[in-house]
Amino acid sequence: MKGDGDGSDPARPPIDAADPGDLAEHQHLKPLLAARLRATGLDVAYQRGRGDTLYYREAGGREVAVLDLVGGFGASLLGHNHPRVVARAIELLRGERPFHAQASLRAAAARLGRRLCAQVERATGRPAVAHLASTGAEAVEAAIKHAEMERRRRVDRILERIGQEQHDVRRRLRDGSAAVSGRLFERACRLFGLSRIDGIDDLFLRLYHLARAELDRPPAFLAVEGAFHGKTSGSLKLTYRAEYQAPWRSIGPSSAFLPAGDAAALAQALEAATLRYVDLEVGDGGELELAPRALVNVAACFVEPIQGEGGMHEIGRDDLLRLRAAADRHGFPLVFDEIQCGMGRTGAFFAAEHAGVAGDYYLLSKALGAGLAKISALLVARERYIEEFGVLHTSTFADDDFSSEVALAGLDLLEEDDGALMRRCAATGELFVARLRDLMARYPDQIRAVRGRGLMIGVELADQRGSPSAFIRLLGAQELLGFMVSGWFLREHAIRVAPTLSERATVRIEPSAAIERADIDRFAAALEELARILRAGDAYRLVRFAVGRAGEPTPRLPAAQPPAPSPGAVAAPAGERDGARVGFLTHFLTAADLLDWDPRLAPLDADDCRRFLARTRGLVAPFVAARTSLRSPLGSRVHATVIGLPFTPDQVVDEMRAGGGGWARELIDQGIELARQLGCAVVGFGGFTSILTGNCRSVIASDVALTTGNSLAAAAALEAAQRAARRLALPRRVLGVVGAMGNIGRVLAEVAADWVDEIVLVGRPGAERRLREAAASIYASSARRAAGAPAASGGLAATMVARGLLTDGGPATTAPGATAATAAATAADRDDLGEWLRGRADAELGRSAPVRIATDLGALRDCDLILTASNAARPVVHPHHVAPDRPVVVCDVAVPCDVDDSVLDERPGATLLAGGVVRAPLGQTFALSGMNLPPGQVYGCLAETLLMGLAGIGENFSYGALDPMRIRRIRDLALMHGFALDENPRLRGMSPSSTRPRRGREPE
């Protein structure tokens, strides 16, 4: 049953397989699943399999053999393509055995049913009846329906009995052997809340309808916590994990989940399911009396003797006996779901046999198909079986000869030599578990538990909250470690494993019965290497396969860093009760910021980081990247949680250009929800999060205050630029604004008009109309401010006066007979003032107009001040855009930066400032990775979020279009709470195009 080594097989016809690295073909078949398989390195298209070996072809055509320990989630007990089973399948196909022969006797299905029922009778001493289906979930559905059919019959019998008893009471009243007392009607009136009941017939009718109303209530189904019984609408209600149930929570039967080992919980569940009604009975004295009755309205209890998807947990014998007793006492069936654990995998045909407890129903699938067929079975104790069920519940593909004959071939293998194959499962499983538990003893902080029986084994990875790697901590917190580890096993060791579906830190081991000692040794060696990686927090070695660097020489780790807060934690840290809580959404500014966040991802370089983020897109949810607190000199305190979103501006821009990007918007919504869970009253939006939400306008959140933080960022940039201009004593103040049609750029220009002489608005080609609108707005704002306070007029207003657009008191006019004074009194109130001024300036002054527009960044060479606030993902301002022969102040507000680092080298006369950056009060510092700022400095968008908490601002602030008045207000609040709006020289390396050195680790 083992693979054939080099993969050659002249008799095997070639099979064309799509390149698994290209996901285009998968956009029409479960595209999200395909993307997640790619993210974790499991995107392999296997071409053939034999025994415990699967084969796929690499891009270059080389065939790769993979040790398969997933085993079809338990279906491949006999291995892939067992030769005897394959031979039987070929014989059936060559013999032209009909597949579709419904409405006829199905001989092979009958033989299979007899063989399976013989196994039930051997295990329980009770004969059984079989019902075949195609999948395990369908078998569960059949069991649900049969159990409800049983329960409905019990209820109907009760209602029939009530009707018969009422008939008997009437007879006894007529013959005098029973009598009605007045006390009976008094009690009945209290029961129904009535003042009177009109005779015995009225009472009979009311009691019958009360009983019917109660007994017609939907039943409850019982299951065990951690259960996994399928994903159809019925079986889903018996599957414990909320993630699977939530989208369909309004449909399907009602269920209750019982904690293992909790007798009280079982008693409570039975009590909660109990229906109560009232009957009549004749007392010992012959008088009619009200008789309370009760029915435990449980249709069935479903149990996996060993929970497969729940993490390989074996249900204890005491629990099974307790459930058996409850089922016997209340008349509902005990259903043993052996779909994954049955068919000999644990060393016995039924896993429940190890506990010595019998079920009423047994469910089989997976291994029943012998690795080739899709088939399942419901086996019901004959005394419970309802004959009509086999007619009412049917399926097109059930009972077919092909699947039944393949299953019979598999049963032959299981049963021959008195069950030798099952004994091998037990013995090999003991060896396997012993080997793995030896590793667990040596690596207790990496391997939490090894569970299993036979060849149904789970290896639970320990909580990695204390890992020195931020990325490994994140994987553990978001239940992704098992998936990433599975990709690591595949790509680094050609071993196929997978986490269990409901307990995702548990790696399943379900090989075929023929697995060999060498395979066990091979897996154990790989697991020990993984344990060493986790112990060292070596994130690079865990994920290097995702960027095509599997198997490279191992470099030496950097020094260990103390672990940051758990990325998945939602509890507030100690000491947060004495201040407001705010959240701040951010993302990686460049892919290489991954290395700032987790140095243990070194030696990935910038290109590796880009590939890694692209590959894992959609896998990682928002996470707690950092926590910090801040005090105000006024005595208030704020606690901030920085919530990381795993994308870069490059990714978002590329997606938006391709018509996508919705995934990033979904991450923002998830980040807001995480902030809510953390109890944040304010949520700030950093970087591209404000762009993606239309400056917060597309966010629906009434319970938290929102801000883009752009008001304080703008105020800080303006303050820094103005101080630098004063210090340099610039002889002229011509301001160029890059990104002038954007939210920040427009308001920067409008507020800067208070103190600059001229403004050049720069935007993209094709944006002329919006640039003209921005120019008109600036003209109008300056004119109205000048009209309101003529004595304080300066800046752009003074230029407008000097060039004849304004008098000292208002707009100039050329209307016949009008003076400048009368123009000030009339034109300032024009609705079209800005457009009127812009049109006059362009027509009369041309290139001397105080406000000009440009779509070529070369226009910046005429500027002495440059403010940049575009939403570009890469730098747009380079040395040739900046005047080379005079002092220039360049203030970069954009995050990521608009100005390339080369400006620092090639324009020594330029003063390059980090715009939108403030200094924290009281000398406090922030240790936030990826910010790339000197100690004590913080971006204005985050500072505004903090300031809202300090000042108790509970409404949206920088929301939608920025307001110059709010910019001035937040500036005053910042100064009041001790923030400093200083000049902040731009550091080298802040530009996303800067070349980051490869973060090397010395080879060991």
Side-chain angles (χ1 to χ4, degrees):
M1 293 176 62
K2 297 303 295 178
D4 54 3
D6 64 1
S8 60
D9 188 347
R12 179 176 59 83
I15 299 175
D16 293 330
D19 177 6
D22 180 6
L23 293 182
E25 292 194 5
H26 296 278
Q27 295 310 303
H28 305 286
L29 177 66
K30 300 180 180 179
L32 179 58
L33 176 61
R36 289 182 176 175
L37 290 174
R38 178 175 176 80
T40 53
L42 300 175
D43 53 330
V44 169
Y46 294 103
Q47 296 179 308
R48 67 188 185 99
R50 182 174 297 177
D52 283 304
T53 306
L54 286 170
Y55 300 88
Y56 73 93
R57 291 194 182 278
E58 292 182 324
R62 183 178 72 92
E63 190 173 60
V64 178
V66 174
L67 172 62
D68 180 19
L69 298 181
V70 177
F73 291 3
S76 297
L77 180 65
L78 303 178
H80 296 282
N81 295 306
H82 190 286
R84 283 174 52 181
V85 179
V86 169
R88 182 61 181 137
I90 292 173
E91 179 185 354
L92 291 166
L93 295 173
R94 284 180 174 165
E96 299 181 345
R97 184 73 67 89
F99 189 94
H100 297 291
Q102 297 86 348
S104 69
L105 292 178
R106 317 295 287 272
R111 288 197 303 275
L112 177 60
R114 177 177 57 79
R115 292 273 294 275
L116 294 175
C117 289
Q119 288 288 353
V120 173
E121 188 166 5
R122 177 195 56 77
T124 68
R126 302 157 70 192
V129 177
H131 190 99
L132 300 182
S134 300
T135 68
E138 190 180 351
V140 174
E141 291 287 335
I144 290 172
K145 290 175 68 175
H146 191 278
E148 171 56 10
M149 206 170 181
E150 275 200 76
R151 187 202 67 89
R152 186 68 245 180
R153 288 197 169 193
R154 291 199 304 275
V155 167
D156 289 344
R157 284 195 296 269
I158 291 172
L159 292 172
E160 289 172 7
R161 180 180 54 77
I162 291 173
Q164 183 60 48
E165 287 176 350
Q166 290 184 356
H167 176 76
D168 292 342
V169 167
R170 286 190 175 91
R171 179 182 56 77
R172 293 190 63 176
L173 288 173
R174 286 195 301 270
D175 66 21
S177 62
V180 177
S181 69
R183 185 175 57 182
L184 173 68
F185 287 101
E186 291 176 8
R187 291 177 176 172
C189 285
R190 288 197 297 271
L191 172 67
F192 290 106
L194 300 173
S195 59
R196 58 172 291 172
I197 291 178
D198 297 326
I200 193 68
D201 287 335
D202 186 19
L203 178 58
F204 281 161
L205 188 61
R206 290 181 184 279
L207 288 174
Y208 182 83
H209 283 304
L210 174 63
R212 181 160 202 140
E214 282 295 303
L215 294 172
D216 278 346
R217 291 183 185 276
F221 288 81
L222 303 182
V224 179
E225 288 186 359
F228 188 100
H229 294 287
K231 294 182 180 177
T232 54
S233 60
S235 62
L236 192 59
K237 285 304 180 77
L238 303 172
T239 293
Y240 182 66
R241 191 175 176 93
E243 172 190 0
Y244 297 134
Q245 287 202 20
W248 300 280
R249 57 187 175 275
S250 300
I251 62 175
S254 174
S255 58
F257 291 96
L258 309 172
D262 192 337
L266 173 59
Q268 291 168 5
L270 295 173
E271 175 62 26
T274 298
L275 303 178
R276 304 188 188 282
Y277 60 99
V278 178
D279 201 354
L280 283 174
E281 63 182 13
V282 180
D284 293 339
E287 290 188 348
L288 286 183
E289 297 176 354
L290 295 178
R293 309 288 188 207
L295 173 71
V296 173
N297 193 31
V298 171
C301 178
F302 283 72
V303 186
E304 300 158 278
I306 300 179
Q307 293 181 338
E309 304 310 327
M312 304 298 181
H313 291 276
E314 187 167 6
I315 304 301
R317 183 171 186 272
D318 289 345
D319 279 321
L320 294 181
L321 287 171
R322 191 178 298 117
L323 295 174
R324 177 71 272 168
D328 291 339
R329 185 164 58 252
H330 300 293
F332 57 80
L334 180 61
V335 183
F336 282 160
D337 180 345
E338 301 249 2
I339 288 169
Q340 189 166 169
C341 61
M343 296 292 297
R345 178 167 288 280
T346 66
F349 191 87
F350 295 116
E353 293 182 63
H354 299 293
V357 181
D360 300 303
Y361 299 4
Y362 287 85
L363 308 178
L364 295 173
S365 188
K366 295 192 185 293
L368 179 60
L372 286 184
K374 301 174 182 178
I375 188 169
S376 62
L378 161 65
L379 308 170
V380 180
R382 180 173 288 279
E383 70 268 20
R384 305 190 76 109
Y385 185 71
I386 300 171
E387 298 291 341
E388 290 87 346
F389 181 78
V391 176
L392 296 174
H393 180 81
T394 59
S395 170
T396 298
F397 296 107
D399 304 332
D400 68 286
D401 278 13
F402 180 84
S403 299
S404 299
E405 290 282 12
V406 167
L408 284 166
L411 279 175
D412 289 342
L413 288 166
L414 281 178
E415 294 174 353
E416 70 183 11
D417 194 14
D418 195 25
L421 188 145
M422 290 185 277
R423 293 195 300 274
R424 177 180 170 85
C425 286
T428 306
E430 288 181 10
L431 176 66
F432 212 149
V433 167
R435 182 70 189 276
L436 298 179
R437 284 180 176 162
D438 175 66
L439 284 176
M440 181 181 69
R442 289 189 282 129
Y443 298 94
D445 294 331
Q446 288 72 47
I447 303 173
R448 179 179 178 182
V450 174
R451 295 182 294 271
R453 184 185 284 272
L455 291 177
M456 189 170 180
I457 302 168
V459 178
E460 183 180 354
L461 301 174
D463 187 347
Q464 296 301 304
R465 233 174 302 198
S467 173
S469 162
F471 186 67
I472 292 177
R473 293 195 300 274
L474 176 61
L475 290 175
Q478 295 194 2
E479 296 188 321
L480 298 173
L481 184 59
F483 292 101
M484 192 61 69
V485 159
S486 298
W488 178 87
F489 271 108
L490 177 62
R491 300 296 184 167
E492 296 277 2
H493 291 277
I495 297 175
R496 186 169 183 254
V497 298
T500 58
L501 295 182
S502 293
E503 194 174 279
R504 294 169 181 174
T506 299
V507 175
R508 70 173 78 237
I509 310 296
E510 296 182 86
S512 82
I515 189 169
E516 297 177 358
R517 175 66 179 267
D519 297 326
I520 296 173
D521 292 341
R522 177 179 167 188
F523 174 75
L527 180 62
E528 182 164 16
E529 181 181 335
L530 173 67
R532 289 197 298 267
I533 287 172
L534 295 178
R535 174 182 283 177
D538 194 346
Y540 165 73
R541 286 180 61 199
L542 182 62
V543 305
R544 64 186 179 184
F545 71 83
V547 295
R549 295 173 67 174
E552 288 190 359
T554 304
R556 183 173 299 145
L557 284 168
Q561 301 293 323
S566 172
V570 295
E576 282 204 5
R577 297 184 185 87
D578 61 343
R581 296 183 203 165
V582 301
F584 183 73
L585 306 182
T586 186
H587 52 75
F588 298 117
L589 299 183
T590 71
D593 286 339
L594 268 173
L595 307 178
D596 291 324
W597 173 60
D598 188 354
R600 302 223 153 200
L601 287 168
L604 298 181
D605 58 25
D607 288 337
D608 290 331
C609 290
R610 276 190 285 274
R611 285 194 293 271
F612 183 72
L613 282 176
R615 182 163 191 151
T616 57
R617 197 195 85 187
L619 180 70
V620 177
F623 57 93
V624 175
R627 282 193 171 102
T628 190
S629 296
L630 190 75
R631 290 181 296 110
S632 163
L634 300 183
S636 56
R637 178 182 288 272
V638 65
H639 306 282
T641 299
V642 179
I643 296 172
L645 307 179
F647 61 77
T648 67
D650 274 344
Q651 285 181 291
V652 174
V653 169
D654 289 346
E655 284 289 319
M656 291 173 71
R657 286 173 178 166
W663 56 272
R665 183 63 178 78
E666 290 176 10
L667 283 173
I668 292 172
D669 289 336
Q670 293 171 23
I672 297 169
E673 180 56 32
L674 177 56
R676 282 194 184 99
Q677 294 176 31
L678 291 161
C680 296
V682 178
V683 178
F685 289 66
F688 265 48
T689 62
S690 58
I691 297 169
L692 288 166
T693 58
N695 296 309
C696 296
R697 285 174 297 189
S698 68
V699 177
I700 300 174
S702 59
D703 52 344
V704 292
L706 307 177
T707 184
T708 63
N710 288 336
S711 294
L712 186 54
L718 289 165
E719 184 76 15
Q722 190 172 17
R723 289 189 185 194
R726 282 199 215 102
R727 177 174 54 79
L728 294 173
L730 296 179
R732 54 199 286 273
R733 294 185 178 183
V734 178
L735 170 66
V737 180
V738 179
M741 59 189 181
N743 195 27
I744 299 179
R746 178 190 58 79
V747 80
L748 284 172
E750 188 169 330
V751 178
D754 292 350
W755 53 272
V756 300
D757 302 323
E758 300 176 35
I759 298 176
V760 179
L761 303 177
V762 184
R764 294 189 300 270
E768 290 86 351
R769 180 183 60 81
R770 293 176 61 190
L771 289 171
R772 286 193 294 269
E773 291 172 355
S777 176
I778 293 167
Y779 275 125
S781 175
S782 294
R784 290 192 173 109
R785 282 177 62 79
S793 296
L796 190 69
T799 305
M800 293 167 69
V801 169
R803 298 184 187 177
L805 293 177
L806 287 179
T807 68
D808 289 339
T813 179
T814 57
T819 66
T822 58
T826 57
D829 293 327
R830 292 177 61 122
D831 291 338
D832 65 342
L833 174 61
E835 184 57 32
W836 179 65
L837 287 170
R838 187 199 63 77
R840 283 198 58 210
D842 289 352
E844 297 176 13
L845 301 176
R847 292 184 57 82
S848 297
V851 182
R852 302 182 292 279
I853 68 171
T855 56
D856 183 351
L857 286 164
L860 297 175
R861 292 172 65 90
D862 295 331
C863 300
D864 310 283
L865 287 157
I866 299 172
L867 287 168
T868 72
S870 84
N871 59 5
R874 312 292 291 170
V876 295
V877 177
H878 297 276
H880 62 277
H881 297 133
V882 180
D885 52 358
R886 65 178 187 274
V888 179
V889 175
V890 183
C891 187
D892 192 345
V893 187
V895 180
C897 297
D898 276 341
V899 183
D900 193 79
D901 276 355
S902 57
V903 172
L904 288 166
D905 300 320
E906 300 181 32
R907 291 293 182 265
T911 298
L912 183 53
L913 304 177
V917 176
V918 303
R919 189 175 301 280
L922 303 176
Q924 296 167 94
T925 61
F926 293 85
L928 303 180
S929 63
M931 291 289 185
N932 202 21
L933 292 173
Q937 292 187 1
V938 61
Y939 283 113
C941 48
L942 173 55
E944 182 173 313
T945 307
L946 295 164
L947 187 55
M948 287 178 67
L950 291 172
I953 298 175
E955 73 275 359
N956 297 338
F957 199 84
S958 296
Y959 181 92
L962 293 182
D963 180 356
M965 294 303 295
R966 287 210 162 193
I967 290 175
R968 297 178 178 102
R969 177 188 170 196
I970 201 71
R971 176 189 180 279
D972 294 341
L973 274 175
L975 296 175
M976 183 186 307
H977 284 274
F979 288 92
L981 281 60
D982 301 328
E983 288 184 56
N984 297 295
R986 240 282 297 275
L987 300 177
R988 190 177 306 280
M990 293 179 69
S991 164
S993 69
S994 61
T995 303
R996 289 177 183 250
R998 182 164 172 152
R999 299 184 179 245
R1001 293 190 277 186
E1002 298 176 11
E1004 290 180 347

